[in-house]
Amino acid sequence: MPGNSFGQLFRITTCGESHGGAVGVIVDGCPPGLTLSEQDIQQELDRRRPGQSAISTPRDEKDKIHILSGMYDGMTTGTPILLLAYNEDTRPQDYREIKKLFRPSHADYTYAAKYGIRDWRGSGRASARETLARVAAGAIAQKYLKEKLGISFISFVEQVGAIRTTINHDQVTRALIDATMIRCPDEKIAKKMIRLIETVRDGKDSIGGVIKGVIHGCPPGLGEPVFDKLNADIGKAMLSINAVKGFEIGSGFSGVAMRGSQHNDPFIKDREGTIRTKTNNAGGILGGISNGETIYFRVAFKPVATIGKKQKTLAENGKPLSLEASGRHDPCVVPRAVPIVDAMAALVVMDHYLRHKAQNC
Amino acid sequence: MPGNSFGQLFRITTCGESHGGAVGVIVDGCPPGLTLSEQDIQQELDRRRPGQSAISTPRDEKDKIHILSGMYDGMTTGTPILLLAYNEDTRPQDYREIKKLFRPSHADYTYAAKYGIRDWRGSGRASARETLARVAAGAIAQKYLKEKLGISFISFVEQVGAIRTTINHDQVTRALIDATMIRCPDEKIAKKMIRLIETVRDGKDSIGGVIKGVIHGCPPGLGEPVFDKLNADIGKAMLSINAVKGFEIGSGFSGVAMRGSQHNDPFIKDREGTIRTKTNNAGGILGGISNGETIYFRVAFKPVATIGKKQKTLAENGKPLSLEASGRHDPCVVPRAVPIVDAMAALVVMDHYLRHKAQNC
Amino acid sequence: MPGNSFGQLFRITTCGESHGGAVGVIVDGCPPGLTLSEQDIQQELDRRRPGQSAISTPRDEKDKIHILSGMYDGMTTGTPILLLAYNEDTRPQDYREIKKLFRPSHADYTYAAKYGIRDWRGSGRASARETLARVAAGAIAQKYLKEKLGISFISFVEQVGAIRTTINHDQVTRALIDATMIRCPDEKIAKKMIRLIETVRDGKDSIGGVIKGVIHGCPPGLGEPVFDKLNADIGKAMLSINAVKGFEIGSGFSGVAMRGSQHNDPFIKDREGTIRTKTNNAGGILGGISNGETIYFRVAFKPVATIGKKQKTLAENGKPLSLEASGRHDPCVVPRAVPIVDAMAALVVMDHYLRHKAQNC
Amino acid sequence: MPGNSFGQLFRITTCGESHGGAVGVIVDGCPPGLTLSEQDIQQELDRRRPGQSAISTPRDEKDKIHILSGMYDGMTTGTPILLLAYNEDTRPQDYREIKKLFRPSHADYTYAAKYGIRDWRGSGRASARETLARVAAGAIAQKYLKEKLGISFISFVEQVGAIRTTINHDQVTRALIDATMIRCPDEKIAKKMIRLIETVRDGKDSIGGVIKGVIHGCPPGLGEPVFDKLNADIGKAMLSINAVKGFEIGSGFSGVAMRGSQHNDPFIKDREGTIRTKTNNAGGILGGISNGETIYFRVAFKPVATIGKKQKTLAENGKPLSLEASGRHDPCVVPRAVPIVDAMAALVVMDHYLRHKAQNC
């Protein structure tokens, strides 16, 4: 199958370039009877929108979402839902300088190598604008999972450069997260992060970060135990986001140095008689299947490739040249990537919920 | 789709439990005309076999592979290939003690929660024996990619506990890797790793490790640029292996603290006039598409959950009890996981090669 | 996977109801470098449009198509193509009478049974307007196949009621087909068909018909030999069109009464030395794989369910009532279904061409 | 995806040639907790076995089925089920004469055209033996649907050559069907059919036939309304069986000549207050979704291509030659195809039941 669909039963297919007519997504397989409005989707989109704060790009894309199908009388009907955001405020001339060169660590060269043709305007399909469709579709999944199963997605910025919060993810709320423009719920650390980003921006440079993904309320039993392990599908979802270079679940890379006797999570019964684990090094998933504990994971984002500093690179014709990007861009991607992480996590959980229901309920 | 298939065009479907009749895999979509013998597959399987050395489990599964379809006159015909290894030397009685309890950090509880029924013998489908099918199928992909495209897979053990080699992955060969029973090509470090594992084993405990995955010779253009990015599919492949908790490509988590100006890989021309990058923080993939550089990634394995040390846990009926595992098990999984990493990487590259060919060649 | 996608590699996902915002389709997997304009698509759409003639519905939907993504500089880029036709001229009030009843032989009842909710306006997703998306996507496949491989799709109306042409399908051209508003290339028979439809319309009734599907120039080798036989996938494509009740390929049902010695198609060499068959009872496909001969098949359409005559039926609440449809509708669907048959056939051939290329070229 | 899998959620992947090691199938997605034995499967297989009667081929393949995975304690566990029948009694020498020629109306030529290589022994993958895997997998679906939902599959031979029974399919039972070796429940017609087949066989020729497929007890709501209409998926399932040339559901081709006022099935309430239709020209499916009535359809099989009569054909090298088949073969395929039709129908219904459950229950 071509690579623009995601999910098996709650299945999204996205389309759209930065400077084409629109960015869109068809959501197929949504259960009927879910109350849904454009506003439900817009509020998630507004979290990823550029132009929100001093530390993000000054573009004001608006990203107004339209629902064009799959609804009747304020409810989903079970037929495919088309969500569309038209492209406005496009300024291809901003990108004209890059038309005939390969920007370092961008997809210009690999698109050309793959397709023999590329839409250079605003990075075309490789634009971060593509993630708008993910967030829009994910908003539907989040609403369904919240209302029907009480599952919530509470991702936040854990690290920018070397600055990292150690806040307990079980005490984080979305209000705390959205309280700072950096989307780090630890106020002190948030300030440091912002200062770092400002310094980096002033140096015409960029910097990476880590988002901690957190899923509360996932019931036991979701995930297919061999190839489509819940952690494998969440991992793929995250690694499919632009600029992501790493993913770890639960103890992750730090578990490597632990002994089994430390790492194993003993089973216990809680006061209600529910089977739980005493610790949660597993990150809420055992053998690829959710065990009812909080699912948490970390997603590493590289520094944004577009920088104002002068860089050496090659023209399409192979001639060396140097480049100083003048386009609109973020010095650090993680604040705006938080809703993308939530959306992708929700799409995976929603899909696995339907898959589990099909075979086992 | 149920979760026992992997790949879109070079598609494998696996089956089999530790103590059922056999572990098997159907490989569908293999191009016709590939010379193939059971020995081609057996040699990869022998790399993952238990009983190879003092530091792995003393079971001797043999894992003899049989090709039951899809071949004529020593060549693949384009029809599905069935590979089967019958289960011999099974000793369900070794596992009888665990029949009615949930082992910590195993999939016993989550299988029961998902399916309501579980095959406890040798962990059933959650057994590491399941990976035999992956390695067998991957051997076909490796042979095809080697012969037709010159692509090779050279993964090795980079870290056990806190002991880590800094060897340059471009200087590693498979001969060097297989020279030590730990499959670390750095002889000095290998010895330290082995000593650590022996200490851990004597303490009836286990320890984790990291495998570095390396792919040489991948041409530019493989990978679908949105959801099925080459790195996302490799990541999923790795995270679907039992005990894997983390994955990073190229700079990975260490890239987080870098500036864009450091992290970006400048394009250059090499002596032959080929477009290359001067550095390779990307790990050989840009925008989800291979760029022709070496693809490298790191895979984190947690310490093996089965340990001889006494642990507290729950019986199926919820009663607390304690457990000292007496079954056969490895104190560290990484030496035997090296061929699994190679196999899964090969399955991803093979699949993306066929996908690329379909649309773009 | 949900049921709104079709094809594996040239994959379309459609959406849209009769009275929502738009009918659309995302075409994923299209090879890059194909010259394409909205006009290329519009001309196929215009063939299925209502309001073309005295014997079809007087609605003038216009069905203007918009390409919103996947194009650059007049060419496909290899990224997904979004095609959209906005819904105008919608008159939900025309359908208000059917809001709370189940029309005989329509999908009202089964949608309600399946989803618990249904969009009654213009039959919602069950509207024939859904086929607009198929024709639009099929126009891209037809253009590609024509230009790159010389394959053409020449379906026509063979039968209306009991009136049937025996014209040799190898002598039919698209010009001949489109010369009559009934799309039957046999002028005399066409006139009789039109008269029959007029009679039926005057009686406030409807009538069925047969379209003969014809594919010229398909090379040998397309089709997967077991489940995804080329004939099986063409059959599914046709049976997925509203109102289709039967499909036969080559000799079809008439082959049942033949002896093997009559039915078998002897292999011969033609003047150019190409292997051909002397007869073509197979309909151009052997063992599920194209053999290079003309592919031909017949598709049976039932009489349109919406009729002006009074009928008995049930209200949603189970009360009996009678119904005289006053909405806009065709007395016979086949003239407008011709481009749908061509489109679906082209989608199947295109998909199988890419699949074949992936594994075997 | 390669073409050897069928179904989305109840998904089978088959393998095996006539003269390789085995014919097999992996059934993935089966719900856990279904009681299942090899005997449950064997009894369906025995219905398709050659050597059952004077009018079928004298081979005695035995076709003993083995369950090699996915079971514990007599029940399915939710993990993939491997079913295998080893190839015995293979006599490749019977086929040596056809090694280097293309038999008329067989797949020899098209396999060679597609893959460049073919396994000529017993027709390789194109052998009717491939259907063994379908019947085995279908037996599991039939058992589940019978026990959990009361759905049953009662297909029978309706026509051989021009001899056709007009028996009411609602009065047919499996006992009646299996009472005659021709599997026609109308005793008088059955005798005529047998006589015709004997005559044809004595003339070293073959003849076609029609199987009527019948599904009792399917609840309303199954089927996806656009591309994966229940009738489209049943149609594809049937058209994927070797030798099938036509499919029609409900009124089928005969509906073409009817008026809408005759063809429409009025909704009524039965005594229990259930919504039913008075007539059933629809064949139990409206808008692609089951409506609760009996599903019935007709499947046309061409005369068997292998005949003893002398035929002209070409050698692989293009030289004309003549052929008199001496291998073991049936003069008419329909009696043995009855269980295949039941199996494929059950696979479709089972898959759609799980799909419906995922989205709508």
Side-chain angles (χ1 to χ4, degrees):
Chain A
M1 241 153 305
N4 297 286
S5 295
F6 188 81
Q8 299 291 334
L9 293 181
F10 190 87
R11 183 168 183 82
I12 70 168
T13 302
T14 72
C15 62
E17 284 79 23
S18 174
H19 285 64
V23 167
V25 55
I26 297 178
V27 178
D28 201 3
C30 185
L34 177 71
T35 305
L36 186 71
S37 70
E38 288 176 349
Q39 184 48 32
D40 291 327
I41 296 166
Q42 195 66 50
Q43 68 188 36
E44 278 303 305
L45 279 183
D46 289 346
R47 299 181 81 214
R48 78 159 278 291
R49 201 157 49 89
Q52 299 177 92
S53 71
I55 56 166
S56 72
T57 148
R59 273 173 300 165
D60 182 7
E61 285 178 7
K62 287 200 192 76
D63 299 347
K64 173 140 180 43
I65 203 73
H66 303 270
I67 305 180
L68 278 88
S69 70
M71 299 282 305
Y72 172 63
D73 215 9
M75 279 195 291
T76 59
T77 59
T79 62
I81 303 166
L82 172 61
L83 306 176
L84 220 59
Y86 295 99
N87 290 333
E88 300 162 18
D89 183 31
T90 58
R91 290 189 261 166
Q93 64 279 15
D94 279 14
Y95 295 89
R96 198 160 301 265
E97 65 190 22
I98 60 160
K99 186 178 175 180
K100 289 191 172 294
L101 60 80
F102 299 133
R103 288 169 296 162
S105 296
H106 272 275
D108 304 334
Y109 169 64
T110 51
Y111 265 72
K114 184 173 190 67
Y115 298 117
I117 180 177
R118 70 185 165 99
D119 181 352
W120 54 270
R121 301 164 301 170
S123 298
R125 183 76 177 138
S127 167
R129 190 162 168 76
E130 169 264 321
T131 58
L132 187 158
R134 303 175 184 230
V135 173
I140 301 178
Q142 287 194 64
K143 188 161 200 281
Y144 182 92
L145 293 170
K146 186 77 188 171
E147 291 183 5
K148 308 285 174 181
L149 296 160
I151 304 174
S152 55
F153 298 82
I154 310 286
S155 306
F156 59 88
V157 171
E158 191 187 62
Q159 188 174 342
V160 171
I163 302 172
R164 178 174 178 174
T165 173
T166 56
I167 198 168
N168 176 352
H169 59 248
D170 280 325
Q171 287 163 5
V172 169
T173 63
R174 210 173 251 201
L176 277 175
I177 296 165
D178 287 346
T180 64
M181 64 181 172
I182 187 79
R183 291 216 167 83
C184 171
D186 179 336
E187 212 187 319
K188 268 193 190 164
I189 297 292
K191 279 182 191 158
K192 288 188 191 173
M193 288 173 171
I194 293 169
R195 263 199 305 274
L196 173 58
I197 292 175
E198 286 170 345
T199 308
V200 165
R201 184 196 56 199
D202 293 347
K204 295 188 171 182
D205 216 330
S206 65
I207 192 143
V210 171
I211 291 177
K212 176 166 259 186
V214 183
I215 308 173
H216 289 298
C218 184
L222 305 196
E224 299 294 319
V226 177
F227 295 113
D228 297 351
K229 288 182 164 77
L230 190 57
N231 43 314
D233 277 348
I234 294 175
K236 171 171 172 164
M238 299 305 146
L239 290 156
S240 78
I241 300 170
N242 280 349
V244 171
K245 303 297 287 181
F247 172 83
E248 56 181 10
I249 184 137
S251 62
F253 279 89
S254 73
V256 165
M258 292 168 78
R259 303 291 157 103
S261 55
Q262 297 171 281
H263 193 277
N264 282 356
D265 300 313
F267 284 107
I268 53 167
K269 267 193 168 174
D270 69 9
R271 288 181 208 170
E272 286 80 38
T274 308
I275 291 178
R276 303 284 308 272
T277 61
K278 197 175 170 183
T279 50
N280 187 12
N281 287 311
I285 300 173
L286 284 174
I289 304 169
S290 62
N291 67 359
E293 303 299 320
T294 299
I295 295 171
Y296 67 94
F297 51 88
R298 299 177 76 238
V299 187
F301 289 79
K302 70 171 186 180
V304 173
T306 305
I307 54 175
K309 265 194 170 168
K310 188 183 286 192
Q311 302 177 84
K312 294 192 171 162
T313 191
L314 294 179
E316 275 193 357
N317 60 16
K319 286 222 175 121
L321 45 76
S322 69
L323 165 74
E324 286 170 75
S326 59
R328 303 161 294 180
H329 59 271
D330 291 314
C332 182
V333 79
V334 287
R336 289 179 55 204
V338 163
I340 306 170
V341 166
D342 280 337
M344 293 306 297
L347 290 171
V348 173
V349 172
M350 182 75 194
D351 191 43
H352 274 284
Y353 170 66
L354 298 185
R355 292 172 75 175
H356 178 63
K357 194 149 70 89
Q359 188 183 14
N360 300 306
C361 297
Chain B
M1 241 153 303
N4 296 285
S5 295
F6 188 82
Q8 299 292 336
L9 293 181
F10 191 88
R11 184 168 181 82
I12 70 168
T13 302
T14 71
C15 62
E17 285 80 21
S18 173
H19 285 65
V23 166
V25 55
I26 296 177
V27 179
D28 201 3
C30 185
L34 177 71
T35 305
L36 186 71
S37 70
E38 289 177 347
Q39 185 46 33
D40 290 327
I41 296 165
Q42 195 66 50
Q43 70 189 35
E44 277 304 304
L45 280 184
D46 289 347
R47 298 181 82 213
R48 76 160 279 289
R49 198 156 53 88
Q52 297 177 94
S53 71
I55 57 166
S56 73
T57 149
R59 272 174 299 166
D60 182 6
E61 285 178 7
K62 289 200 189 79
D63 299 348
K64 173 140 182 41
I65 203 73
H66 303 271
I67 305 180
L68 276 87
S69 72
M71 300 282 303
Y72 173 64
D73 216 9
M75 279 196 291
T76 60
T77 58
T79 62
I81 303 167
L82 172 61
L83 306 176
L84 220 61
Y86 296 100
N87 290 333
E88 299 162 18
D89 183 31
T90 59
R91 290 189 261 166
Q93 63 279 13
D94 281 14
Y95 296 89
R96 199 159 300 266
E97 65 189 22
I98 60 159
K99 185 177 176 179
K100 289 190 174 293
L101 61 80
F102 298 133
R103 287 169 297 162
S105 296
H106 272 276
D108 303 334
Y109 168 65
T110 50
Y111 266 72
K114 184 173 190 67
Y115 298 116
I117 179 178
R118 71 184 164 99
D119 180 351
W120 53 271
R121 299 164 304 170
S123 298
R125 183 76 175 138
S127 167
R129 191 162 167 76
E130 170 264 322
T131 58
L132 187 159
R134 304 175 182 230
V135 174
I140 300 178
Q142 286 193 65
K143 187 160 200 281
Y144 183 92
L145 293 169
K146 185 76 188 171
E147 291 182 6
K148 308 286 174 181
L149 296 160
I151 304 174
S152 55
F153 298 83
I154 311 286
S155 307
F156 59 88
V157 172
E158 191 188 61
Q159 190 175 341
V160 171
I163 302 171
R164 178 174 178 177
T165 175
T166 55
I167 197 168
N168 177 351
H169 60 248
D170 279 324
Q171 287 162 7
V172 169
T173 63
R174 210 174 252 199
L176 277 175
I177 295 164
D178 288 346
T180 65
M181 64 182 171
I182 188 79
R183 290 212 169 86
C184 171
D186 179 335
E187 212 187 321
K188 267 193 191 164
I189 297 292
K191 278 182 189 155
K192 287 188 190 170
M193 289 173 171
I194 293 169
R195 263 198 304 274
L196 173 58
I197 293 176
E198 286 168 344
T199 307
V200 165
R201 183 196 58 199
D202 294 346
K204 295 185 171 182
D205 216 329
S206 65
I207 191 142
V210 172
I211 291 177
K212 176 165 259 185
V214 183
I215 307 173
H216 289 298
C218 185
L222 305 195
E224 299 294 319
V226 179
F227 296 112
D228 297 350
K229 287 181 163 77
L230 191 57
N231 44 315
D233 277 349
I234 295 175
K236 171 170 173 164
M238 298 306 145
L239 289 157
S240 78
I241 301 171
N242 281 348
V244 170
K245 304 298 288 180
F247 171 83
E248 57 181 11
I249 184 138
S251 62
F253 280 89
S254 73
V256 165
M258 293 168 78
R259 303 288 158 105
S261 55
Q262 298 171 278
H263 192 276
N264 283 357
D265 300 313
F267 284 106
I268 52 167
K269 267 194 169 174
D270 70 8
R271 289 182 209 170
E272 285 81 38
T274 308
I275 292 180
R276 304 285 307 273
T277 62
K278 197 174 172 184
T279 50
N280 187 12
N281 286 312
I285 300 173
L286 284 173
I289 303 169
S290 61
N291 66 359
E293 302 298 320
T294 300
I295 295 171
Y296 67 94
F297 52 87
R298 297 176 78 240
V299 187
F301 290 79
K302 71 172 186 179
V304 173
T306 306
I307 54 174
K309 264 193 171 170
K310 188 183 285 191
Q311 300 177 86
K312 291 189 173 165
T313 192
L314 294 178
E316 277 194 358
N317 61 16
K319 288 221 172 120
L321 47 76
S322 70
L323 164 73
E324 286 170 73
S326 59
R328 303 161 293 181
H329 59 270
D330 288 315
C332 182
V333 79
V334 287
R336 290 178 55 202
V338 163
I340 305 170
V341 166
D342 280 337
M344 293 306 297
L347 290 170
V348 172
V349 172
M350 182 75 195
D351 192 42
H352 274 283
Y353 170 65
L354 297 185
R355 292 172 75 175
H356 178 63
K357 195 149 69 93
Q359 188 183 14
N360 300 307
C361 297
Chain C
M1 241 152 302
N4 296 286
S5 295
F6 188 80
Q8 299 291 334
L9 294 181
F10 190 87
R11 184 169 182 81
I12 70 167
T13 302
T14 72
C15 62
E17 283 79 23
S18 174
H19 285 65
V23 166
V25 56
I26 297 177
V27 179
D28 201 3
C30 184
L34 177 71
T35 305
L36 186 72
S37 70
E38 288 175 349
Q39 185 47 32
D40 291 326
I41 297 164
Q42 196 66 50
Q43 68 189 38
E44 278 304 305
L45 280 183
D46 289 347
R47 299 181 83 214
R48 77 160 278 291
R49 203 156 49 88
Q52 298 177 93
S53 71
I55 56 166
S56 71
T57 148
R59 272 173 299 165
D60 182 7
E61 285 180 5
K62 290 202 189 76
D63 300 346
K64 170 136 183 48
I65 203 71
H66 303 270
I67 304 181
L68 276 88
S69 71
M71 299 282 302
Y72 172 63
D73 216 8
M75 279 195 290
T76 60
T77 59
T79 61
I81 303 166
L82 173 61
L83 306 176
L84 219 60
Y86 296 99
N87 290 333
E88 300 161 17
D89 182 30
T90 58
R91 291 190 260 166
Q93 62 281 13
D94 279 12
Y95 296 89
R96 199 161 301 267
E97 64 191 22
I98 60 159
K99 184 177 177 180
K100 288 189 174 298
L101 61 80
F102 299 133
R103 288 168 296 162
S105 297
H106 272 276
D108 303 335
Y109 168 64
T110 51
Y111 265 72
K114 184 173 190 69
Y115 298 117
I117 179 177
R118 69 183 165 100
D119 181 351
W120 53 271
R121 300 165 301 170
S123 298
R125 183 77 177 137
S127 166
R129 191 163 166 74
E130 169 263 321
T131 58
L132 186 158
R134 303 176 184 229
V135 173
I140 301 179
Q142 286 193 66
K143 186 159 201 282
Y144 183 92
L145 292 170
K146 186 76 187 170
E147 291 184 4
K148 308 287 173 180
L149 296 160
I151 303 174
S152 55
F153 298 83
I154 311 286
S155 307
F156 60 88
V157 172
E158 190 188 60
Q159 188 175 341
V160 171
I163 302 172
R164 179 174 177 175
T165 174
T166 55
I167 196 168
N168 177 351
H169 59 249
D170 279 324
Q171 287 163 7
V172 169
T173 64
R174 209 174 253 199
L176 277 176
I177 296 165
D178 288 346
T180 65
M181 67 180 169
I182 186 79
R183 291 216 168 83
C184 171
D186 179 336
E187 214 187 318
K188 269 194 190 163
I189 297 290
K191 279 182 188 155
K192 289 188 190 171
M193 288 173 171
I194 292 168
R195 265 198 304 273
L196 173 58
I197 292 176
E198 287 168 345
T199 309
V200 164
R201 184 196 57 200
D202 294 346
K204 294 190 172 179
D205 215 332
S206 65
I207 190 141
V210 171
I211 291 176
K212 176 167 260 185
V214 183
I215 308 173
H216 288 299
C218 184
L222 305 195
E224 299 293 320
V226 178
F227 296 111
D228 297 352
K229 288 182 163 76
L230 190 58
N231 44 315
D233 277 348
I234 295 174
K236 171 170 173 164
M238 299 306 145
L239 289 157
S240 77
I241 301 171
N242 282 348
V244 171
K245 304 298 287 180
F247 171 84
E248 58 181 10
I249 183 137
S251 62
F253 280 90
S254 74
V256 165
M258 292 168 79
R259 302 290 157 105
S261 55
Q262 298 170 279
H263 192 276
N264 283 356
D265 300 314
F267 284 105
I268 52 166
K269 267 194 168 173
D270 70 8
R271 288 182 209 169
E272 286 79 38
T274 309
I275 292 179
R276 303 285 308 271
T277 62
K278 198 174 170 185
T279 51
N280 187 13
N281 287 311
I285 301 174
L286 283 174
I289 304 169
S290 62
N291 67 359
E293 302 299 321
T294 299
I295 295 171
Y296 66 94
F297 51 88
R298 298 175 78 239
V299 187
F301 290 78
K302 70 171 187 181
V304 173
T306 304
I307 55 174
K309 266 195 171 166
K310 188 182 283 192
Q311 303 177 85
K312 292 191 172 162
T313 191
L314 295 179
E316 274 194 359
N317 61 15
K319 288 219 174 122
L321 46 75
S322 70
L323 164 73
E324 287 170 75
S326 59
R328 305 161 291 181
H329 59 271
D330 290 315
C332 181
V333 79
V334 287
R336 289 179 54 204
V338 163
I340 306 170
V341 166
D342 280 337
M344 293 306 297
L347 291 171
V348 172
V349 172
M350 182 74 194
D351 192 41
H352 275 284
Y353 170 66
L354 297 186
R355 291 171 75 176
H356 178 64
K357 195 149 70 93
Q359 189 184 14
N360 299 307
C361 298
Chain D
M1 242 153 303
N4 296 285
S5 295
F6 187 82
Q8 298 292 336
L9 293 181
F10 190 87
R11 184 168 182 81
I12 70 168
T13 302
T14 72
C15 62
E17 284 80 22
S18 174
H19 285 64
V23 166
V25 55
I26 296 177
V27 179
D28 201 4
C30 184
L34 177 71
T35 304
L36 186 71
S37 70
E38 289 175 349
Q39 184 48 32
D40 290 328
I41 297 165
Q42 195 66 50
Q43 68 188 37
E44 278 304 305
L45 279 184
D46 289 347
R47 298 181 83 214
R48 78 161 278 290
R49 201 155 51 87
Q52 299 177 93
S53 71
I55 57 166
S56 73
T57 149
R59 271 175 300 164
D60 182 7
E61 286 180 5
K62 291 200 189 76
D63 299 347
K64 173 141 182 40
I65 203 72
H66 303 270
I67 305 180
L68 277 88
S69 71
M71 300 282 303
Y72 173 63
D73 216 10
M75 280 196 290
T76 60
T77 58
T79 61
I81 303 167
L82 173 60
L83 306 176
L84 219 60
Y86 296 99
N87 290 334
E88 301 162 18
D89 183 29
T90 58
R91 290 189 262 166
Q93 64 279 13
D94 280 14
Y95 296 90
R96 199 160 299 267
E97 65 190 22
I98 60 160
K99 184 177 177 179
K100 291 193 173 292
L101 60 80
F102 300 132
R103 289 169 295 162
S105 297
H106 272 275
D108 303 335
Y109 168 64
T110 52
Y111 265 72
K114 183 173 191 69
Y115 298 116
I117 179 178
R118 71 183 164 102
D119 180 352
W120 53 271
R121 300 164 302 169
S123 298
R125 183 77 178 137
S127 167
R129 190 163 168 75
E130 171 264 321
T131 58
L132 187 159
R134 304 175 182 230
V135 173
I140 301 178
Q142 286 194 64
K143 188 162 200 279
Y144 183 92
L145 293 170
K146 185 77 188 169
E147 291 183 4
K148 309 286 174 180
L149 296 159
I151 303 173
S152 55
F153 299 82
I154 310 286
S155 308
F156 59 89
V157 171
E158 191 187 59
Q159 187 174 343
V160 171
I163 302 172
R164 179 174 177 176
T165 175
T166 56
I167 197 168
N168 176 351
H169 59 246
D170 279 324
Q171 286 162 7
V172 169
T173 63
R174 211 174 251 201
L176 276 175
I177 296 164
D178 288 346
T180 64
M181 66 181 169
I182 188 78
R183 292 215 166 84
C184 170
D186 179 335
E187 214 187 320
K188 266 193 194 165
I189 297 293
K191 277 182 190 158
K192 287 188 190 170
M193 288 172 171
I194 292 169
R195 263 198 306 274
L196 172 58
I197 292 176
E198 286 169 346
T199 309
V200 164
R201 184 196 55 198
D202 293 347
K204 294 188 173 183
D205 215 330
S206 65
I207 191 143
V210 172
I211 292 177
K212 176 166 258 185
V214 183
I215 308 174
H216 290 298
C218 185
L222 305 196
E224 300 293 320
V226 178
F227 296 112
D228 298 350
K229 288 182 164 76
L230 190 58
N231 44 315
D233 277 347
I234 295 174
K236 170 169 173 164
M238 298 307 145
L239 289 156
S240 77
I241 301 171
N242 281 349
V244 170
K245 303 299 288 180
F247 171 84
E248 56 181 10
I249 183 136
S251 62
F253 279 89
S254 74
V256 165
M258 293 167 78
R259 302 289 157 106
S261 55
Q262 298 170 279
H263 192 275
N264 282 356
D265 301 314
F267 284 107
I268 52 167
K269 266 193 170 176
D270 69 9
R271 290 183 207 167
E272 286 81 37
T274 308
I275 292 178
R276 304 285 307 272
T277 63
K278 198 175 170 183
T279 50
N280 187 14
N281 287 312
I285 300 174
L286 283 174
I289 304 170
S290 62
N291 67 358
E293 303 299 320
T294 299
I295 295 171
Y296 67 94
F297 51 88
R298 297 177 78 240
V299 187
F301 290 78
K302 70 172 186 180
V304 173
T306 305
I307 54 173
K309 263 194 173 168
K310 190 184 282 192
Q311 300 177 85
K312 290 191 173 162
T313 191
L314 293 179
E316 276 194 359
N317 62 15
K319 290 222 173 119
L321 46 75
S322 70
L323 164 72
E324 287 170 73
S326 59
R328 304 160 293 181
H329 58 271
D330 290 315
C332 181
V333 79
V334 287
R336 288 179 55 203
V338 164
I340 305 171
V341 166
D342 281 337
M344 293 307 296
L347 290 171
V348 173
V349 172
M350 181 76 196
D351 192 41
H352 274 284
Y353 170 65
L354 298 185
R355 291 172 74 175
H356 178 63
K357 196 149 69 90
Q359 190 184 12
N360 300 307
C361 299

